[in-house]
Amino acid sequence: MNLIIDAGNSLIKISVFREKIEIYHDQFALSEFVMHIKQVFDAYPDITDGIISSVGMLDKKDMAVVSLFCDVHLLTNQTKTPFKNSYATPETLGVDRVALATAAFCHNPSGNTLVVDAGTCITYDMVNDYGEYIGGAISPGIHMRYKALHQQTAKLPLLEKEDIIDFIGNSTNTSIHSGVVNGVTAELNGIIEQYNQRFNNLTVILTGGDALFLSKRTKNTIFANPKFLLEGLNCLLEYNKK
């Protein structure tokens, strides 16, 4: 069994995989990390290997706790990948994007795949039909846009995302919702269309915390998979066992 740990910008997500099948999943705050790790190993003592992807939340002490129970691989830009990395600055490529590119390659090894991760940031990552990661884009996520409107102005309120009835807002709140939700939707559809124009038979995977919220708003054919990054980490761990 494999233990998969994704320490993102907001939450820590963990999964247990038996080969390619996820048999357990949970997410929690950093303060609960040690408690949850002990509970997972109590429930699944057959875990032999783990992988940690962290954008900065976990410190060395937290990671050392996991290594008490199993062999641990820390994902870095030196980690072996099954795809060819053609990013101009691979040393600056976030480990979350490495995991998503791996998931894209494992899911569709001989096809063109664009992964859109709608989380704290919205990232776009492209793996072509030569098995080559060629890059993508990074833009502010939904909550970041709401937060920026509130913090960078004197009077605009801080709102949480919600469905919009019409793209024309008739109040301050509905205008903010339209600007954020309609703006993200227009961005998403526009960027996907750019990739469709360049790459034949493009597969688009939408993942991340806002994947389901956005999936019903896209006009393109996409596959929503909120756990795509975790699947990529599991694939990466299996590849590095060899």
Side-chain angles (χ1 to χ4, degrees):
M1 289 185 188
N2 292 336
L3 175 65
I4 311 302
I5 301 175
D6 170 34
N9 289 299
S10 303
L11 292 170
I12 294 178
K13 305 176 183 70
I14 61 173
S15 291
V16 176
F17 280 80
R18 180 182 288 115
E19 296 181 351
K20 296 182 179 180
I21 306 300
E22 184 189 60
I23 59 176
Y24 172 82
H25 176 76
D26 198 4
Q27 59 185 39
F28 44 83
L30 175 62
S31 59
E32 302 171 345
F33 181 76
V34 173
M35 177 188 70
H36 279 274
I37 291 300
K38 290 179 179 178
Q39 290 176 348
V40 168
F41 280 100
D42 285 341
Y44 300 96
D46 293 335
I47 295 172
T48 58
D49 296 270
I51 187 168
I52 298 176
S53 168
S54 176
V55 295
M57 288 182 68
L58 292 180
D59 59 27
K60 292 182 179 179
K61 291 181 180 179
D62 294 318
M63 297 179 191
V65 170
V66 184
S67 66
L68 294 174
F69 298 95
C70 69
D71 292 331
V72 178
H73 182 91
L74 177 62
L75 178 56
T76 70
N77 53 38
Q78 300 298 315
T79 298
K80 291 189 304 179
T81 62
F83 58 86
K84 178 184 177 183
N85 191 345
S86 294
Y87 205 57
T89 55
E91 69 280 0
T92 69
L93 184 62
V95 291
D96 53 341
R97 299 180 72 189
V98 172
L100 291 169
T102 302
F105 178 83
C106 292
H107 176 79
N108 190 22
S110 58
N112 291 308
T113 306
L114 173 67
V115 184
V116 183
D117 185 7
T120 302
C121 294
I122 300 175
T123 58
Y124 302 82
D125 292 290
M126 180 69 204
V127 178
N128 65 23
D129 52 7
Y130 293 99
E132 178 185 23
Y133 175 76
I134 59 174
I138 305 171
S139 71
I142 291 178
H143 179 67
M144 190 181 293
R145 298 180 196 214
Y146 279 115
K147 191 174 180 180
L149 287 172
H150 172 64
Q151 292 184 343
Q152 302 299 318
T153 63
K155 295 183 179 180
L156 293 181
L158 178 60
L159 305 179
E160 295 294 330
K161 70 175 185 283
E162 63 178 53
D163 290 320
I164 58 173
I165 299 174
D166 191 356
F167 69 90
I168 302 176
N170 63 358
S171 68
T172 297
N173 283 15
T174 57
S175 294
I176 291 174
H177 287 308
S178 176
V180 172
V181 176
N182 197 45
V184 169
T185 302
E187 173 194 308
L188 195 64
N189 285 320
I191 289 180
I192 291 174
E193 184 56 32
Q194 286 180 317
Y195 279 85
N196 267 318
Q197 292 295 320
R198 183 172 297 185
F199 299 98
N200 295 323
N201 301 314
L202 181 69
T203 296
V204 182
I205 308 291
L206 180 60
T207 190
D210 289 321
L212 297 181
F213 180 79
L214 291 172
S215 63
K216 56 187 176 183
R217 293 172 172 79
T218 59
K219 63 184 179 182
N220 297 277
T221 300
I222 63 169
F223 300 93
N225 182 348
K227 298 180 180 179
F228 201 58
L229 189 148
L230 295 167
E231 294 175 8
L233 288 173
N234 186 59
C235 180
L236 201 52
L237 179 56
E238 287 295 320
Y239 183 76
N240 278 272
K241 286 182 185 179
K242 299 175 182 177

